[in-house]
């Protein structure tokens, strides 16, 4: 990962991300594949609901924990 501050994936948001929302679209991705969206505190619930309603949301993890897993 780069040293740049991660930014929330919500449209128009420039706030630092503190959450990783891991998701997968089963129609186009292999079951083990995980795409990620980043979220600030304010947008975490909204983004999780968006993915959850579609059956895509697999996990919500603190950014620091996700980064540690990836190391």
């Amino acid at each position: 990962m780069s040293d740049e501050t991660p930014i929330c994936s919500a449209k128009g948001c420039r706030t630092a991300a503190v959450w990783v929302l891991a998701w997968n679209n089963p129609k186009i991705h292999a079951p083990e594949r995980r795409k990620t969206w980043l979220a600030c505190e304010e947008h975490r619930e909204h983004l999780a609901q968006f993915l959850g309603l579609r059956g895509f949301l697999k996990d919500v993890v603190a950014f620091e924990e996700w980064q540690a897993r990836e190391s």
Side-chain angles (χ1 to χ4, degrees):
M1 288 207 107
S2 71
D3 290 335
E4 293 182 26
T5 300
I7 301 297
C8 180
S9 298
K11 186 175 182 177
C13 186
R14 304 304 304 154
T15 304
V18 292
W19 296 99
V20 174
L21 289 77
W23 62 277
N24 170 295
N25 180 341
K27 291 182 180 179
I28 60 174
H29 300 129
E32 65 280 354
R33 175 135 185 228
R34 292 295 179 265
K35 305 275 288 174
T36 57
W37 281 357
L38 303 177
C40 64
E41 283 294 343
E42 180 181 350
H43 292 112
R44 180 186 137 205
E45 187 63 31
H46 171 74
L47 293 173
Q49 284 180 353
F50 179 89
L51 292 168
L53 286 172
R54 289 154 180 79
F56 295 173
L57 186 62
K58 301 300 179 192
D59 203 5
V60 178
V61 180
F63 181 81
E64 289 179 357
E65 182 182 333
W66 183 269
Q67 203 171 22
R69 285 185 191 177
E70 297 295 307
S71 297

